[in-house]
Amino acid sequence: MLHAHKIRRVCRRKQSNPANPGRRARKISQLDQCLTSYSRPTSYFFTPYFSVNAIAATTRHDLSVRGSAIGGLDLGHAWILPPTVTAQFHPLPASRFSPYIGVGVNYSVFYGEGGSLSAPVNKVVVKNAWGWALNAGIDYELSPRWVINVDAKKLFLDPRVSVNSGAIMARADLDPWIVGAGIRYRF
């Protein structure tokens, strides 16, 4: 089964730990934003109740530090390609409204770091990282072959970030939502 849809990532603001501003490892936050990207996810049904879903798209994310000893810092931006595979359970596969839930893994590839950096920052590198995902959605059957789908995934990512060639090592709190809607054709 293949389907294509638009993706919207909704990321909430994360704060560094202002109680310990002198710590070498700080939390990097992501600015509030909503991003849209195209994807072409693929689902394979092993049985009417169990399927595997794979999805990948790429989006740009702005990074910053909040509550450090020298205040807030702009760390530019990074592009992320977060391919995600989830195992899904469909409790009502014969129903016209068929909800599902899932859990899976994610390997996020970061690239294209750049943008405007606050002084004294001169280089930021976000390391590729494994994460995990939760998934929920619903299929609405228009006909035996055509289905409308609404899907939401919550990714839990905690990649390492190197600032100024390792002078500061930190973890980024990037826990985006991926929300999609699309139409699917059953083969």
Side-chain angles (χ1 to χ4, degrees), residues 28-165:
I28 307 299
S29 68
Q30 180 173 2
L31 298 177
D32 294 329
Q33 59 186 310
C34 296
L35 305 167
T36 302
S37 173
Y38 174 80
S39 75
R40 185 167 182 154
T42 301
S43 295
Y44 179 80
F45 283 75
F46 293 100
T47 73
Y49 294 94
F50 295 100
S51 67
V52 172
N53 176 265
I55 186 172
T58 189
T59 55
R60 191 182 101 165
H61 298 265
D62 295 317
L63 301 172
S64 66
V65 174
R66 304 244 185 262
S68 74
I70 58 173
L73 296 173
D74 184 3
L75 299 181
H77 64 261
W79 285 84
I80 179 175
L81 172 64
T84 304
V85 176
T86 56
Q88 298 172 333
F89 173 66
H90 301 256
L92 304 169
S95 173
R96 188 169 193 160
F97 286 96
S98 178
Y100 57 88
I101 57 172
V103 64
V105 296
N106 162 273
Y107 185 73
S108 292
V109 177
F110 294 88
Y111 64 96
E113 291 93 341
S116 86
L117 306 171
S118 297
V121 177
N122 59 34
K123 183 177 181 183
V124 175
V125 176
V126 183
K127 308 290 184 183
N128 299 344
W130 288 94
W132 58 283
L134 296 177
N135 181 212
I138 189 164
D139 291 331
Y140 174 71
E141 186 178 278
L142 297 172
S143 71
R145 293 245 183 237
W146 291 97
V147 175
I148 292 178
N149 172 262
V150 177
D151 181 85
K153 289 179 178 66
K154 174 69 170 171
L155 302 185
F156 298 90
L157 309 175
D158 201 22
R160 293 183 186 276
V161 178
S162 170
V163 178
N164 292 348
S165 301

